[in-house]
Amino acid sequence: MTIEALVQEEVTESRPRVAEDRWSIQWSSIVAGAFAAAALSFILVSFGVAIGLGVSSTSPTWRDASAALALLSGVYLILQAIASFGFGGYIAGRTTRQAAAVSAIDDDGERWDGLHGLMSWALAVLIGGVFLAFLGAGTIDRSPARSSSGNATAAEPLLGYELDKLFRARRPPTDLGETRAEAGRILMTSSSHSGVSSDDRTYLVQQVTALTGLTGPDSERRVDAAIADSRTAINRARHSSIILAFSVAAATLIGAVVAWAAAVAGGRHRDGEPLPNWIVSSNRFHRTPRASRP
């Protein structure tokens, strides 16, 4: 009775330890995979932007680009996410040390490695979001429109070229900040259902005539051209934003799946086992191929 009691007590005490070792998360592997994924993603995104594969831009020349270039930019964003999160997930799975209770069961081992890859994906997404937030805040604070004039609006970076053409003159006035801001707010309404109202159009014609010295018919033609160009620019910017949002969402979700699969592959390589059956060409990663488990 005494021996049985002692054995029962040892089993009871070992169960919490096994459970604790089984579900304890190794943050060192997760952080390593996340930083690796974020670093590779930064390199690939910077390279894509440098060669002209940016999904959106405030440059007037981008709005004249074809739809194929926008789709190609979105596809590149998805491909770089697959490469980056796959690399980070593989590192997270390869560097994870499994407990004996987990490694004894194949399904639990794959779930364990995949969980670390998924968490490294989540941490990498958060790192990228924080970096973009700081970068965007710094860009806005250092923008010339924000620092030079308090009358600048959201229309200035989007319709800056159209505003330049609207008030182009041989001898332009020294300060057009308030006038450009007001005209930009009017031109932003060109993409609405009703468009620019007749009163706003008449006001723009008067402003162009007074500031540029053009005649009434010439001012009307310039205003009508500015309204049409602004409507086209806003619509193209919306299309680019839709492509960007879809590409980012698809890249992020696909990256989660890739990070899970790469972490499982990394765990298999760590243990010297063949890859799962749902990963093709598994024997190419091994010097000594082994038969898959039933």
Side-chain angles (χ1 to χ4, degrees):
M1 295 296 295
T2 305
I3 296 176
E4 293 179 357
L6 292 175
V7 171
Q8 186 175 3
E9 289 179 359
E10 291 179 356
V11 171
T12 305
E13 292 177 356
S14 62
R15 285 179 181 177
R17 294 179 182 178
V18 170
E20 183 179 357
D21 294 338
R22 182 175 181 177
W23 301 111
S24 60
I25 297 176
Q26 299 178 14
W27 286 101
S28 58
S29 301
I30 294 173
V31 172
F35 275 101
L40 183 58
S41 178
F42 175 76
I43 295 173
L44 295 179
V45 169
S46 301
F47 174 77
V49 173
I51 64 176
L53 291 180
V55 181
S56 63
S57 174
T58 58
S59 175
T61 57
W62 168 261
R63 298 175 306 195
D64 298 332
S66 62
L69 180 59
L71 293 177
L72 181 61
S73 302
V75 171
Y76 177 80
L77 185 62
I78 295 175
L79 292 178
Q80 70 84 23
I82 293 176
S84 302
F85 291 120
F87 179 62
Y90 178 84
I91 291 179
R94 187 65 181 267
T95 57
T96 301
R97 297 184 303 273
Q98 288 188 358
V102 176
S103 59
I105 304 176
D106 293 339
D107 293 339
D108 286 353
E110 292 184 2
R111 293 192 188 99
W112 182 252
D113 295 329
L115 177 62
H116 282 74
L118 189 63
M119 295 192 68
S120 68
W121 161 84
L123 184 57
V125 171
L126 292 178
I127 293 173
V130 172
F131 176 77
L132 290 178
F134 280 105
L135 182 62
T139 303
I140 293 175
D141 292 336
R142 291 191 301 267
S143 61
R146 182 180 180 89
S147 59
S148 62
S149 176
N151 298 319
T153 60
E156 190 66 36
L158 179 61
L159 303 177
Y161 180 67
E162 284 72 16
L163 292 173
D164 292 338
K165 292 175 58 178
L166 183 63
F167 296 109
R168 184 175 299 169
R170 294 182 179 179
R171 295 181 179 179
T174 57
D175 187 12
L176 288 177
E178 185 177 355
T179 304
R180 287 173 62 93
E182 186 177 10
R185 289 189 291 268
I186 294 175
L187 292 178
M188 288 293 288
T189 61
S190 60
S191 62
S192 61
H193 295 287
S194 58
V196 179
S197 62
S198 58
D199 294 339
D200 291 337
R201 179 183 177 276
T202 302
Y203 177 76
L204 287 178
V205 172
Q206 294 175 355
Q207 290 292 100
V208 171
T209 302
L211 295 174
T212 62
L214 296 176
T215 60
D218 292 338
S219 298
E220 290 181 0
R221 285 192 293 269
R222 181 176 288 192
V223 169
D224 292 338
I227 293 174
D229 293 341
S230 299
R231 184 185 303 111
T232 302
I234 294 173
N235 291 333
R236 289 180 177 177
R238 287 176 177 174
H239 294 162
S240 299
S241 300
I242 293 174
I243 295 176
L244 176 61
F246 176 80
S247 301
V248 170
T252 306
L253 294 178
I254 294 175
V257 179
V258 172
W260 179 286
V264 172
R268 289 273 183 164
H269 290 170
R270 177 201 60 219
D271 299 334
E273 298 178 357
L275 295 177
N277 295 328
W278 47 271
I279 297 180
V280 296
S281 303
S282 61
N283 292 331
R284 295 180 182 178
F285 296 92
H286 296 273
R287 296 180 180 177
T288 56
R290 299 180 182 180
S292 300
R293 294 183 179 182

